[in-house]
Amino acid sequence: MSAIIQCIHYTGQKSQQLRNVPFIYPSIVWVQTGVKKLQWQNDWININPKNWLLTPGHSQQTFINQPSQAIFSSLQLCFLTKPTTELINRSHRHASCHTTPDYLFDPAGEYLFMNLVNMPKSLPRNVQECMVNALFEYLANMGKLHLLFSSQDLSWRDKLAALFRQQPSEHHSIESVCQHFGLSKSTLIRRLREESTQFREVLAELRMGYALTLLQQQHYTQLDLAQLCGYQSETRFAQRFKKQFGLSLKEYQQTINS
């Protein structure tokens, strides 16, 4: 049974200054300990344990994770399913002039969030969907759901990300992907161009996000991590990681374990 949410736990023991961090899926980030200083337009927003960061899918964020008493900890709840158009429209109707991506949640929001974090994977899919929809309903009533989802329709970026997510380490060529979807190469390129993206950009975005997730689970050598993320060249992977996040793999690992 395919998952409809993913929960990722991020930690750090030193300040983590990261740029262009890809959020593949619409996500709610809840800082448990410390502060996430988010760069927003020409300012910085403090995301602390009292407010959530709401970020849409296929977006990139620049931030600094600052520990409190040598610990930074956050939960990222990723949504692999979408709400109905009616809920998105309701969210627009309830929206206020407050347009920043932070949201000061209440006990009801906390309850619904933690229900999903602790939701058994063995639950039937329709039951899981009801629990996710309860949070969607809550966010729509608060006028915040549209900050996560601009449309109910699946984009081609969504479709590619879902395919790549199944096997990030595999060699994904544009020809094999076109065959999978039954499209010509020119058609896929055109449809991605209409969404202001490219095939390699979506693949690299997925792999870099996957690299951060893996690094939170255990220590990997640079070679092992490169191969798990689908890179044949260790050097090329290291260069991409540094270009993407603004710090090297070793520098990032040092922020996780002091």
Side-chain angles (χ1 to χ4, degrees), residues 183-197:
L183 295 175
S184 68
K185 184 176 178 180
S186 60
T187 298
L188 179 59
I189 291 174
R190 185 182 73 252
R191 291 182 177 179
L192 290 174
R193 187 184 298 123
E194 290 170 354
E195 297 176 4
S196 301
T197 190

Side-chain angles (χ1 to χ4, degrees), residues 20-32:
N20 303 326
V21 176
F23 285 79
I24 312 301
Y25 302 100
S27 301
I28 299 176
V29 178
W30 185 1
V31 174
Q32 306 289 287

Side-chain angles (χ1 to χ4, degrees), residues 38-62:
L38 176 75
Q39 187 176 41
W40 178 252
Q41 298 176 355
N42 296 321
D43 204 355
W44 292 84
I45 299 173
N46 287 339
I47 309 296
N48 56 50
K50 295 182 179 180
N51 58 353
W52 290 337
L53 167 62
L54 308 177
T55 183
H58 303 296
S59 61
Q60 295 189 356
Q61 305 291 352
T62 294

